[in-house]
Amino acid sequence: MNKELYNQVVNSFFHCDPEAITRIFNEFLTAMQAQETMPPSSGMEQNYETAQANPEIHAIPGNLKDARDAIFPYFWGTDGWSSPLHLENVKGPANYASLVGALACLLKNPNLCTDTYSQRSNELEIKAITSLANLLFYHTDDPSGVFTMGGTTSNLYGAKIGIERVAPGTMRTGLQGKKIAGIVSTASHYSNQSVAGWLGIGADNLFAIPTDEAMSMRIDLLEEQLEKLHAEGYSVAFVTATFGTTDAFGVDDVSGIRRALDEFAQRNDVTVPQLHVDAAVGWVMSFLADYDSNSNSLDFSNQMLETIQRIQVRCRGLREADSISMDFHKMGWGHYPGSALLVNRRKDLKYLARTVEDTPYFSEADERRDPALFTLECSRPALGPFSVMASLNGIGLNGWRLLAARSVDLANQLKERLEKLPYCKVLNLQTDGPHVVWWVLPKGRDAKQIYREVQAGTMKAEEYSHYTSEIQRQFDKRSKSMSPKTDARLSFTTSIGYAPKDMKIPAWKAVFFNPKTDETIIDRIIESIEDLV
């Protein structure tokens, strides 16, 4: 062995050199700061073939600067979503309190599988999970949960608990031909299809309930579907409600679903399906759940107070959920992955549990807590709890209330102004969140009347297809003519989740996830539409 070269490797990469590391990190921060002043990037040209053809690894050991040089072009070529013109989707910039937490985590690199591998980081996970559970469930007696690799995984956990409740032992024996069903809404996230497939019940056994105009699951049709599935010999394992749909921020009536499930189970003498709530997007509204509108210490407008009161009614439904998925890396502006599964009752984790005998090299594991005994993953990063707790306590409850309310307020302002234009129609006037979905038709069209005809089912499919093509063309026209320095980047969806008479509704979309976005950007959106038509 070349001992001198070996020592060089150890000294360069396994001894902490604060000066060298800080110097390189400052270079990244400087680049990040420079990019914050730039308009949104449409994406640098990507050449996957070149990347695949040149997977070089240096033969000679180098230093930390070589490590920096290997990744810097890709760092510079990745948008940080820091521009206030980013309104495309449920993505915003990571807050810098989260960065502090993430850096602390990366320096220690704990693995949350067991206390042995993570020590006090596991304690921090319990603290973070309980803090989030207190927000969403509102101080339940014995909540629990874990951080996961993403919202899809959190939804998978909720569905799996439901399967084990209606078909005990499936974790070990498999479905064995049992007819297991799950239920979602037509506006739910597509990842639920993946969950059904990966859990083995099959996407064909995941049944979607139509929504009303507010993109909320229709309880009457849910009740019909429950009875129909029971009559066909299905065991309904779970109903996944949505608290903030990805396009229009629709919120399901969780309390209404709870009543429907309990009455269904009692009427048919069956196990109550798991009521899981996908709150990946909408969870942040829970910061407003106990805001005192009477004292109004944050000086919200009367209009905003009315909105907050409607939000509070919806948030109360979360207390009746069995489990909830939430993504802190969305409107928590945290670092990926910041997803978590929350269960209302700690005892429900037993449906996922393994024994110490199943994990022989974790013989010291404590069945009361060690996550490796019930998580899908073995190795789990601690970025979630570190970034969440740093963010929650850095920004504080009132800070979060201001951020959430400001996003909703900007969305309401855009809705109000768009709705005044005769050739525009806001499609989610009945939702209270940071999303706006709408139509833009050519001048001379009565967008509201066209929408009423679609809802009533009096419009022919051919005529409707013509209008939807116009809506798409108007969006494409704006995209080609927009100024990258002044025009917000919007997005387009082919279906907002509400489909009256089975007619899917496409829409322009803006999502107010960036705290730096302000009224001047709304002014320019309206101007660009008026110029367009």
Side-chain angles (χ1 to χ4, degrees):
M1 175 185 286
N2 186 330
K3 197 70 174 178
E4 181 179 351
L5 195 59
Y6 177 81
N7 289 334
Q8 177 189 328
V9 170
V10 173
N11 289 332
S12 296
F13 299 105
F14 293 93
H15 284 288
C16 182
D17 184 344
E19 184 177 344
I21 294 171
T22 302
R23 188 185 311 116
I24 291 172
F25 189 65
N26 277 333
E27 292 172 356
F28 284 114
L29 285 176
T30 301
M32 185 73 175
Q33 189 175 30
Q35 284 188 311
E36 284 191 350
T37 65
M38 299 168 63
S41 170
S42 58
M44 294 187 180
E45 185 176 349
Q46 295 158 330
N47 193 326
Y48 296 113
E49 290 76 15
T50 299
Q52 189 172 22
N54 296 279
E56 72 280 351
I57 299 177
H58 294 171
I60 302 173
N63 53 40
L64 294 178
K65 290 183 179 179
D66 295 312
R68 174 205 62 191
D69 293 344
I71 61 171
F72 188 81
Y74 308 95
F75 175 82
W76 183 256
T78 297
D79 198 325
W81 287 69
S82 57
S83 170
L85 298 175
H86 271 306
L87 299 182
E88 301 100 307
N89 219 318
V90 289
K91 177 77 173 73
N95 79 79
Y96 285 100
S98 175
L99 179 65
V100 170
L103 284 174
C105 174
L106 292 172
L107 286 171
K108 289 297 185 70
N109 197 30
N111 179 350
L112 290 177
C113 61
T114 70
D115 287 348
T116 305
Y117 285 18
S118 64
Q119 297 174 329
R120 292 204 73 189
S121 294
N122 239 351
E123 180 185 338
L124 185 64
E125 180 175 34
I126 293 175
K127 188 179 183 71
I129 286 291
T130 307
S131 296
L132 295 171
N134 284 342
L135 280 172
L136 276 70
F137 291 130
Y138 203 75
H139 301 282
T140 49
D141 293 333
D142 194 28
S144 190
V146 288
F147 282 86
T148 70
M149 68 179 82
T152 301
T153 306
S154 298
N155 287 341
L156 185 144
Y157 274 102
K160 181 59 179 171
I161 291 173
I163 291 173
E164 290 295 324
R165 288 175 68 170
V166 302
T170 300
M171 180 81 78
R172 185 165 296 277
T173 64
L175 293 174
Q176 294 187 331
K178 298 183 182 74
K179 295 179 69 174
I180 306 293
I183 295 176
V184 295
S185 82
T186 53
S188 66
H189 196 270
Y190 70 86
S191 64
N192 287 295
Q193 299 281 335
S194 301
V195 166
W198 280 73
L199 286 176
I201 69 172
D204 287 348
N205 293 314
L206 183 70
F207 297 88
I209 306 298
T211 70
D212 60 20
E213 189 179 4
M215 268 59 70
S216 181
M217 184 189 296
R218 286 184 52 181
I219 305 298
D220 58 330
L221 297 182
L222 169 64
E223 291 171 338
E224 290 179 11
Q225 185 68 78
L226 286 167
E227 294 297 341
K228 182 175 183 290
L229 290 172
H230 178 68
E232 293 175 358
Y234 279 94
S235 295
V236 180
F238 60 89
V239 173
T240 296
T242 308
F243 197 87
T245 60
T246 306
D247 283 329
F249 205 84
V251 172
D252 288 335
D253 178 3
V254 181
S255 294
I257 295 173
R258 172 86 280 161
R259 288 192 298 274
L261 295 183
D262 289 345
E263 291 171 3
F264 161 73
Q266 184 176 20
R267 190 165 54 246
N268 294 285
D269 192 25
V270 295
T271 301
V272 181
Q274 177 84 357
L275 175 49
H276 180 72
V277 178
D278 180 356
V281 178
W283 71 272
V284 75
M285 294 301 136
S286 62
F287 283 110
L288 299 169
D290 61 353
Y291 181 73
D292 187 346
S293 296
N294 293 321
S295 63
N296 193 21
S297 60
L298 298 178
D299 295 323
F300 291 130
S301 67
N302 289 334
Q303 185 179 7
M304 191 66 230
L305 288 176
E306 291 176 4
T307 301
I308 289 173
Q309 287 167 1
R310 290 195 299 270
I311 289 171
Q312 289 176 337
V313 171
R314 296 185 176 109
C315 284
R316 282 197 285 271
L318 293 175
R319 305 173 193 178
E320 301 186 59
D322 295 314
S323 54
I324 297 178
S325 298
M326 55 82 59
D327 283 355
F328 200 86
H329 54 242
K330 286 192 171 73
M331 213 172 169
W333 300 285
H335 286 78
Y336 290 98
S339 298
L341 166 81
L342 308 174
V343 292
N344 212 326
R345 298 165 296 276
R346 182 188 301 268
K347 66 181 182 180
D348 283 352
L349 293 177
K350 70 183 179 183
Y351 294 109
L352 307 173
R354 291 179 288 270
T355 67
V356 174
E357 287 72 26
D358 293 328
T359 58
Y361 65 92
F362 288 146
S363 59
E364 77 284 2
D366 185 339
E367 292 183 345
R368 294 171 299 176
R369 162 58 200 166
D370 275 308
L373 297 179
F374 61 85
T375 56
L376 173 64
E377 311 101 308
C378 181
S379 299
R380 282 190 307 123
L383 280 167
F386 271 89
S387 61
V388 165
M389 290 310 293
S391 299
L392 290 178
N393 289 285
I395 295 173
L397 278 174
N398 280 337
W400 285 105
R401 287 168 179 152
L402 289 167
L403 288 168
R406 174 64 168 167
S407 294
V408 175
D409 182 47
L410 288 172
N412 287 344
Q413 289 185 47
L414 179 58
K415 288 178 181 179
E416 183 177 346
R417 296 187 63 180
L418 286 168
E419 195 67 3
K420 290 178 180 178
L421 301 175
Y423 45 83
C424 290
K425 175 68 184 101
V426 177
L427 305 167
N428 64 331
L429 288 171
Q430 298 183 39
T431 68
D432 294 305
H435 303 51
V436 185
V437 286
W438 73 98
W439 284 350
V440 179
L441 285 152
K443 190 170 286 187
R445 300 286 194 204
D446 185 342
K448 281 80 169 174
Q449 178 59 30
I450 293 170
Y451 184 66
R452 285 193 290 269
E453 291 180 27
V454 171
Q455 285 189 299
T458 58
M459 180 171 290
K460 294 181 179 179
E462 298 81 8
E463 187 179 6
Y464 181 59
S465 178
H466 177 72
Y467 289 134
T468 58
S469 295
E470 287 185 336
I471 295 165
Q472 175 80 66
R473 282 198 300 272
Q474 296 287 76
F475 180 84
D476 293 341
K477 184 178 176 182
R478 179 186 180 275
S479 297
K480 292 175 182 176
S481 63
M482 61 187 284
S483 166
K485 293 184 179 180
T486 59
D487 284 318
R489 300 183 68 86
L490 309 175
S491 61
F492 191 88
T493 178
T494 58
S495 176
I496 62 173
Y498 171 53
K501 314 304 178 183
D502 292 325
M503 287 187 173
K504 292 184 178 180
I505 297 180
W508 293 36
K509 182 168 75 169
V511 184
F512 289 90
F513 261 34
N514 194 310
K516 292 183 287 187
T517 301
D518 60 20
E519 286 83 357
T520 61
I521 292 172
I522 294 177
D523 292 340
R524 180 57 198 147
I525 290 174
I526 298 299
E527 289 173 8
S528 70
I529 291 173
E530 292 175 330
D531 292 342
L532 186 70
V533 299

